[in-house]
Amino acid sequence: MIDCGNGVARQLVLADVPLTIIRHIFITHQHSDHNADYGNLIWLAWAAGLRTRVDAWGPPPLEKMTKLFFEMNAYDIETRISNEGRVPIVPLVHVHEIRSNGAVMSDENLKVTAALVDHPPVVPAFGYRFDAPDRSIVFSGDTAPSDNLVRLAQGADVLVHSVMYPAAIDRLVGRVPNAARLKESILAHQTSAEDAGRIAQAAGVKTLVLSHLVPADDPQVTERMWVEAAQSRFHGKVILGRDLLEI
Ligand SMILES: [Zn+2]
């Protein structure tokens, strides 16, 4: 699982992925749209029957968050262990905090590598590369255009990149009272669809998936506008991400 935003357990079930087979969780950075359901995912999986080890990888304070989450929900957890005969959940979860570029983990199926990306002021924030026997997939996390990410994504089959549409940001932030600060933050830590295309081209990937659309719900920014913006700089295949999309 890469990132755990709101509703991630429900989305997994809708994607026909049983919660009980979750093995590894990778958090790109500690922002609520990427971690709000981190603890919930593990907890709900356990309530659904998970009995096996889960490794969680991500930036600090992942260890503290995990500990406090279990503490907050100790009443339910202890009740279900004593009342329903479940295995203790705490020993199942192994947390690994990541602070720098490099190898994260590998097993017989998968090699995972992290790269620091550019998400001020959220430090560290990571992109991840997953090399499997049949293909390689890179997730940017949230980032401004990042040279580290270009290096990480060299020759990958698929690059999933977060994108913004700068011309629509004023309309997006116009809905909130902290518009000026929010706009400044978004522009500093997101990548335009054009730049995502440029990065995909520089990395030589085969397919670019536009994800984490900012804004996601502006009728004035059509699917075609997103895709054409990326295609203006990238000659490979461009796919506009959406919930439950399979590639
Ligand atoms: Zn973020």
Side-chain angles (χ1 to χ4, degrees):
M1 190 71 221
I2 298 113
D3 280 340
C4 295
N6 181 24
V8 71
R10 185 171 188 274
Q11 293 296 86
L12 274 180
V13 171
L14 290 174
D16 286 329
V17 179
L19 298 183
T20 50
I21 67 168
I22 289 166
R23 180 67 188 83
H24 292 277
I25 297 171
F26 301 89
I27 301 293
T28 58
H29 66 290
Q30 305 298 5
H31 248 170
S32 57
D33 53 327
H34 298 256
N35 68 14
D37 273 359
Y38 159 68
N40 284 337
L41 174 63
I42 300 171
W43 188 31
L44 296 171
W46 177 74
L50 175 85
R51 303 173 65 87
T52 46
R53 175 181 176 129
V54 175
D55 285 84
W57 313 80
L62 192 62
E63 221 164 293
K64 184 178 178 189
M65 290 162 63
T66 310
K67 185 174 166 285
L68 291 178
F69 180 85
F70 287 139
E71 204 176 307
M72 178 175 77
N73 295 295
Y75 182 87
D76 171 90
I77 289 168
E78 281 158 22
T79 304
R80 288 187 191 277
I81 292 169
S82 60
N83 178 242
E84 299 173 3
R86 293 179 190 276
V87 299
I89 186 172
V90 173
L92 297 182
V93 182
H94 298 254
V95 180
H96 314 263
E97 291 190 342
I98 303 175
R99 291 175 170 80
S100 55
N101 285 318
V104 174
M105 56 81 60
S106 60
D107 63 17
E108 63 281 12
N109 300 316
L110 196 62
K111 187 179 109 192
V112 184
T113 315
L116 283 163
V117 293
D118 196 9
H119 186 344
V122 181
V123 179
F126 292 101
Y128 290 110
R129 176 176 181 131
F130 300 86
D131 287 295
D134 59 337
R135 61 178 174 168
S136 47
I137 305 173
V138 176
F139 288 80
S140 70
D142 286 359
T143 182
S146 162
D147 291 339
N148 273 357
L149 189 72
V150 172
R151 279 189 287 275
L152 183 75
Q154 276 307 314
D157 294 299
V158 178
L159 169 61
V160 180
H161 204 303
S162 66
V163 284
M164 66 172 167
Y165 205 91
I169 299 299
D170 279 330
R171 281 195 299 277
L172 172 70
V173 300
R175 304 176 208 161
V176 296
N178 54 327
R181 296 281 300 278
L182 182 61
K183 179 182 177 182
E184 200 182 323
S185 172
I186 290 170
L187 293 179
H189 77 252
Q190 294 292 352
T191 297
S192 69
E194 280 92 348
D195 278 341
R198 181 175 58 75
I199 285 159
Q201 189 68 28
V205 304
K206 295 196 183 96
T207 299
L208 169 63
V209 180
L210 307 180
S211 176
H212 193 292
L213 310 181
V214 184
D217 57 353
D218 185 334
Q220 293 185 50
V221 186
T222 63
E223 292 190 9
R224 197 169 149 187
M225 287 161 74
W226 282 111
V227 171
E228 283 182 352
Q231 281 173 335
S232 69
R233 307 284 191 89
F234 176 55
H235 306 311
K237 188 174 177 187
V238 177
I239 296 174
L240 186 65
R242 57 177 161 76
D243 281 2
L244 302 175
L245 174 68
E246 280 185 49
I247 295 167

